[in-house]
Amino acid sequence: MADILQLSRAVINKIAAGEVIERPASVVKELLENAVDAGASRIDVLVELGGSQLIRVADNGCGISQDQLELAVASHATSKIMDADDLFHVDTLGFRGEALASIAEISQFQLRSRTEQADAGAELEVVGGEKRPLVPCGCPPGTTIEVRNLFYNTPVRRKFLRTTQTEMGHVAEAFTRIALAHPQIHFSLRHNQKQLHDLPPVDHWSKRIGHFFGRELAENLLWVENEADKIKVSGYVANPTFSRSHNRMQYLFLNGRHIRDRSLQHALGEAYRGLLLSGRQPIAFLRLDMPAEAVDVNVHPTKLEVRFRDGRQLYSQLLGTIRNMFLATDLTAQIEPAATDQQGPEASMDPGRLSQHRQQLVDWTRGETSRLTATSGEAPNQVDGITAAAAWRAGTPAELATALGQAVVAGSQGSAVEAAELQTLGTSLGVQLHNRYLVAEHENGIMVIDQHALHERVLYEQLREKIANDALEVQRLLVPEPVNLTAAEAAAVIESRDELAALGIEVEPFGGDTVLVVAYPAMLGKLSPAEILRQVVEQLVAENRPPERRDLIDELLHSMACRAAIKAGDSLSLDEVISLLLQRHLCQDAHHCPHGRPTALVFTKEELDRRFKRI
Ligand code: ADP
Ligand code: MG
């Protein structure tokens, strides 16, 4: 082996730069963070050729006094912390004192700055880590940093740069994250002289979100807020009719810093469970505000990841906050009557609302219409409220005939007592279509019900109520049923015996990884005891299972209800349809399945009348 040598400052800085500065977007991020830390109210970014040629960030913040300029570009020099203790109370975006030194090492770097008190500014140039003499310059208070020819002296890095478009995409994302986190600051971004964003300060966060992602999304955000133990979760999640195929629109801001956190993203996904089609991801803009000491931000070179003191607590706080909001929100997608005027239905509705309703219907009917399209070979040429519903209702002639047949049966020969009962509830007709949806008359129009979602809700409420009243009937097995599990599952089951017993599932260790089911809730008789146990085991060993017993029991209830409920695709007899419709009126929150998904959509009479041009 060769002798051990102390590395030169240049090499040390290049190594540090390798960690922090991966691409032009990293420079933009660091410079923007410094400008925010400097208290700027206006920050302008100019980028040329995706940032490989020039990045300029100009701010009107506090500036750097002339005698400090050289220190600003020295490595491990910062004004933001003083000792190691401060690492646990970081309230600025930066604190490592490495960014400027790193950037200056691998570019042609120029810093001009002036404090409010100084009559003139000063300019410092650093080329490949070599400082040039300070020179005075005229400039307004604040700081402007120009970074040219990034990686010019690290050819390998430069080779890794992707196309201008790709790099610019990353730059724009870095810009977006910081501009989203600080709506009170005026930001702008130009690329090759083209203005991409000009974002004046806004009073409502949703306006800034709208600037980036469109007004339609901004108008469909749902506010969530919750504070516990000085930890505040607040912000917006999108109405489930808006989603993405990726999770990049899940913005989390911790004390004003954009972060990524797998566990919290998982919580978000859980909150939307059942609300989104599979493969779709929620959209969210959430702020987490907590005392700086509740989190360690010094675990990742670019501070993208952090470590929470109590990650589990935060997980359940986030999940609970969003889920409660969904349960309290009526997501039943109503086709609301438009304001009566003479201009026709389209003109009388606010275009935003109209397209929102369309989107809801389009999303909702997508499954059905695409299936119909596949069989009939022709796409529905217009997909709005009623045409979508008509396409869905009509199906093939044979399906239509069956549907009508069932309707006639329901109308005339159905169990007389129950039909009468339905009528008193304002529901006179129950039809099952496609073994999946029930259609019923509703006092305001037509109601389309998701049979699985409704049944799940009904079961969930019945189970919950019985447990609350200690009235759950438990079926004891004459011969306990052995269930083979993995070691981790068996341990989790035995550890949660009390919780399971509260749900009517009684288990006993049987040695090895086998567990005996001794008793189970009689209500779930349709499922085998082993099936019931397996369903809840999944929840028990889930990586992020809820820490609170109450939450866990609730989670297990959801699972059991979901597993035991009739499925989409199950054919129901007329009596079953009617009985399900009757139960709908018995449950407290018939609008939602336990996951918060709507159980029913209502097409109002007014809307139907309007669409048929009766009014
Ligand atoms: P850090 O941000 O971690 O402190 P940097 O290398 O990014 O490290 O910056 C070093 C120091 O230079 C900062 O601590 C700050 O005092 C000063 N500085 C950098 N950018 C600005 C700016 N835009 N306005 C005012 N001061 C700045
Ligand atoms: Mg910094």
Side-chain angles (χ1 to χ4, degrees):
M1 273 223 283
D3 290 344
I4 301 173
L5 294 174
Q6 178 66 53
L7 295 174
S8 69
R9 178 203 54 84
V11 178
I12 292 173
N13 283 353
K14 283 210 178 70
I15 291 174
E19 270 194 349
V20 186
I21 308 299
E22 191 193 345
R23 57 186 353 144
S26 328
V27 173
V28 171
K29 169 184 183 281
E30 294 294 338
L31 298 184
L32 280 173
E33 288 190 348
N34 282 344
V36 170
D37 281 345
S41 62
R42 168 141 201 167
I43 306 174
D44 296 295
V45 184
L46 170 71
V47 171
E48 281 172 16
L49 276 188
S52 61
Q53 183 164 304
L54 170 69
I55 296 167
R56 178 166 72 210
V57 176
D59 70 58
N60 65 354
C62 65
I64 306 170
S65 61
Q66 189 174 332
D67 57 317
Q68 298 241 291
L69 270 195
E70 296 200 347
L71 259 182
V73 297
S75 58
H76 306 300
T78 177
S79 57
K80 300 173 191 175
I81 56 170
M82 282 166 73
D83 54 37
D85 278 352
D86 289 346
L87 276 177
F88 299 97
H89 314 278
V90 175
D91 59 3
T92 48
L93 295 171
F95 60 85
R96 298 165 73 108
E98 270 181 327
L100 294 190
S102 299
I103 298 167
E105 189 68 39
I106 50 173
S107 69
Q108 293 152 359
F109 176 98
Q110 186 199 63
L111 196 175
R112 293 163 155 234
S113 197
R114 184 184 144 193
T115 58
E116 194 71 61
Q117 301 78 28
D119 348 308
E123 177 186 308
L124 173 64
E125 245 183 61
V126 188
V127 176
E130 295 299 320
K131 284 195 208 72
R132 302 282 151 85
L134 265 189
V135 288
C137 73
C139 62
T143 302
T144 298
I145 292 179
E146 284 189 6
V147 176
R148 288 179 193 275
N149 300 321
L150 185 67
F151 300 135
Y152 83 102
N153 55 350
T154 50
V156 181
R157 261 291 151 96
R158 187 140 184 118
K159 261 213 322 253
F160 273 104
L161 286 179
R162 309 277 298 278
T163 62
T164 298
Q165 205 189 346
T166 304
E167 294 304 337
M168 195 53 208
H170 289 285
V171 166
E173 179 61 25
F175 175 87
T176 303
R177 292 170 176 179
I178 291 178
L180 273 178
H182 302 280
Q184 77 290 359
I185 299 178
H186 189 151
F187 287 93
S188 76
L189 174 64
R190 291 176 84 80
H191 183 217
N192 297 343
Q193 303 304 318
K194 184 164 174 249
Q195 176 104 337
L196 300 183
H197 294 288
D198 182 32
L199 310 168
V202 284
D203 44 1
H204 283 287
W205 196 25
S206 61
K207 286 196 195 148
R208 173 93 14 128
I209 296 171
H211 272 297
F212 283 108
F213 304 107
R215 219 187 70 181
E216 208 191 338
L217 174 66
E219 283 171 356
N220 282 282
L221 296 173
L222 304 162
W223 178 253
V224 290
E225 189 172 346
N226 173 279
E227 186 167 347
D229 291 340
K230 295 203 211 145
I231 296 185
K232 185 169 173 192
V233 173
S234 64
Y236 293 103
V237 297
N239 183 306
T241 50
F242 290 76
S243 63
R244 289 289 183 275
S245 60
H246 55 77
N247 63 11
R248 293 192 296 279
M249 270 182 65
Q250 298 173 358
Y251 287 93
L252 294 178
F253 300 98
L254 165 72
N255 296 342
R257 178 197 309 281
H258 169 267
I259 59 158
R260 301 291 281 175
D261 188 281
R262 301 249 319 259
S263 158
L264 294 179
Q265 285 180 303
H266 186 272
L268 186 62
E270 279 297 288
Y272 275 77
R273 190 150 56 101
L275 281 163
L276 299 178
L277 295 173
S278 75
R280 304 297 293 178
Q281 298 278 344
I283 298 172
F285 305 90
L286 293 167
R287 294 174 172 279
L288 310 169
D289 291 287
M290 58 188 75
E293 52 275 13
V295 56
D296 186 356
V297 289
N298 188 28
V299 293
H300 189 268
T302 65
K303 297 158 264 173
L304 183 61
E305 285 163 24
V306 299
R307 192 183 296 129
F308 295 105
R309 203 171 55 191
D310 194 345
R312 282 189 128 193
Q313 175 58 35
L314 191 58
Y315 180 96
S316 64
Q317 187 178 351
L318 183 66
L319 175 60
T321 305
I322 301 175
R323 198 174 260 174
N324 287 342
M325 180 279 298
F326 279 142
L327 285 173
T329 308
D330 187 359
L331 290 174
T332 303
Q334 280 236 358
I335 309 304
E336 284 171 25
T340 31
D341 70 27
Q342 303 311 308
Q343 294 170 292
E346 305 275 337
S348 60
M349 254 179 128
D350 159 344
R353 276 249 306 275
L354 184 67
S355 66
Q356 170 198 345
H357 285 142
R358 283 193 180 161
Q359 189 56 44
Q360 287 173 336
L361 272 155
V362 170
D363 281 1
W364 171 73
T365 46
R366 195 179 289 135
E368 288 303 323
T369 42
S370 62
R371 200 179 61 78
L372 290 172
T373 311
T375 42
S376 72
E378 57 180 86
N381 50 7
Q382 194 196 355
V383 188
D384 61 18
I386 293 306
T387 34
W392 167 78
R393 282 203 51 142
T396 62
E399 283 169 317
L400 182 60
T402 323
L404 284 175
Q406 283 180 16
V408 171
V409 171
S412 57
Q413 301 161 14
S415 148
V417 182
E418 282 172 337
E421 244 183 295
L422 279 181
Q423 217 130 38
T424 62
L425 292 162
T427 308
S428 63
L429 176 70
V431 180
Q432 186 191 29
L433 295 183
H434 299 298
N435 287 345
R436 179 186 298 215
Y437 295 116
L438 311 180
V439 180
E441 186 176 310
H442 178 271
E443 48 183 340
N444 296 327
I446 301 175
M447 186 164 57
V448 182
I449 293 160
D450 177 327
Q451 64 183 38
H452 169 71
L454 176 59
H455 194 213
E456 188 182 335
R457 182 81 223 172
V458 167
L459 283 179
Y460 168 77
E461 291 214 357
Q462 288 176 344
L463 281 165
R464 201 176 56 175
E465 195 186 303
K466 290 197 166 162
I467 288 169
N469 299 333
D470 211 1
L472 189 70
E473 286 163 47
V474 172
Q475 174 84 49
R476 298 216 152 262
L477 291 162
L478 285 176
V479 183
E481 184 162 322
V483 183
N484 291 322
L485 300 168
T486 67
E489 288 171 339
V493 166
I494 296 306
E495 191 194 317
S496 307
R497 266 172 94 176
D498 290 349
E499 283 86 344
L500 293 173
L503 296 166
I505 304 175
E506 292 178 30
V507 291
E508 243 146 50
F510 186 63
D513 301 330
T514 303
V515 170
L516 289 180
V517 180
V518 181
Y520 67 98
M523 255 180 78
L524 303 182
K526 172 174 161 246
L527 299 175
S528 77
E531 269 181 302
I532 297 173
L533 184 66
R534 287 205 182 277
Q535 184 61 27
V536 298
V537 161
E538 262 179 50
Q539 295 297 326
L540 290 178
V541 295
E543 200 184 3
N544 290 298
R545 59 170 261 199
E548 297 291 328
R549 180 168 185 269
R550 208 170 44 98
D551 290 351
L552 178 63
I553 289 183
D554 203 50
E555 198 68 51
L556 296 177
L557 270 181
H558 284 167
S559 283
M560 282 175 13
C562 181
R563 187 73 188 75
I566 50 170
K567 302 280 171 300
D570 288 353
S571 167
L572 302 183
S573 71
L574 180 62
D575 283 350
E576 287 173 304
V577 170
I578 292 178
S579 120
L580 194 52
L581 288 175
L582 282 171
Q583 295 184 72
R584 173 181 157 80
H585 298 273
L586 300 179
C587 54
Q588 289 172 17
D589 181 6
H591 290 311
H592 300 95
C593 74
H595 303 321
R597 196 152 64 91
T599 58
L601 296 168
V602 173
F603 298 79
T604 64
K605 272 187 299 210
E606 287 84 345
E607 182 66 10
L608 291 169
D609 287 345
R610 199 174 311 284
R611 297 289 172 142
F612 284 113
K613 308 255 181 261
R614 284 174 173 278
I615 53 171

